[in-house]
């Protein structure tokens, strides 16, 4: 086996481990915190491990650029494309939430307090 091919499989295994750990962190970790921050530990763990996986995917993509064209070169691009897809999905969700803001609902009419007694 050639040295670049071994490097490819090692980087791919590291990427797969980081990606799987991010999903495990998101889905199987117990939520901590109260109120608004409840479960934020799961999301921050997911984003952290996805960042590690994206860095490894970038290293894999850059290492595979110098190899001859073939199936390994395209296989090396898949982790990077998944990371790019996740970033685009998050940005699209933020843009959609920004564009689709619900309209403001009118406040209900609150009766004013009575300040003097009714004339009889």
């Amino acid at each position: 086996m050639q040295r670049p091919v071994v490097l490819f499989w090692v980087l791919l295994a590291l990427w797969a481990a980081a990606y799987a750990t991010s999903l495990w962190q998101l889905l199987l970790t117990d939520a901590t915190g109260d109120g608004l921050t409840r479960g934020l530990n799961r999301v921050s763990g997911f984003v952290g491990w996805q960042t590690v996986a994206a860095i490894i995917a970038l290293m894999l993509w850059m290492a595979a650029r110098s190899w001859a064209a073939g199936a390994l070169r395209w296989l090396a691009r898949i982790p990077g494309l998944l990371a790019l897809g996740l970033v685009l999905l998050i940005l699209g969700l933020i843009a959609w939430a920004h564009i689709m803001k619900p309209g403001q609902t009118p406040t209900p009419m609150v009766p004013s307090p009575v300040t003097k007694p009714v004339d009889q």
Side-chain angles (χ1 to χ4, degrees):
M1 211 180 252
Q2 296 173 344
R3 189 174 192 158
V5 176
V6 172
L7 176 66
F8 167 77
W9 290 111
V10 168
L11 285 174
L12 191 64
L14 287 173
W15 171 82
Y19 201 86
T21 304
S22 73
L23 293 176
W24 173 79
Q25 181 78 24
L26 180 65
L27 299 174
L28 300 177
T29 304
D30 290 333
T32 60
D34 293 326
L36 180 67
T37 61
R38 180 157 179 82
L40 195 58
N41 64 318
R42 297 188 315 186
V43 175
S44 63
F46 173 76
V47 170
W49 281 107
Q50 280 294 321
T51 303
V52 170
I55 291 170
I56 295 170
L58 181 64
M59 291 169 42
L60 187 60
W61 190 313
M62 297 305 252
R65 279 183 11 179
S66 63
W67 300 338
L72 284 182
R73 185 179 224 178
W74 282 102
L75 187 61
R77 292 178 181 168
I78 291 174
L81 292 174
L82 284 173
L84 182 63
L86 181 65
V87 169
L88 291 177
L89 182 71
I90 291 171
L91 290 176
L93 182 65
I94 292 170
W96 179 77
H98 183 68
I99 291 170
M100 302 305 266
K101 279 195 258 187
Q104 293 196 0
T105 57
T107 56
M109 192 102 148
V110 179
S112 59
V114 178
T115 55
K116 62 181 182 176
V118 178
D119 291 335
Q120 291 190 16

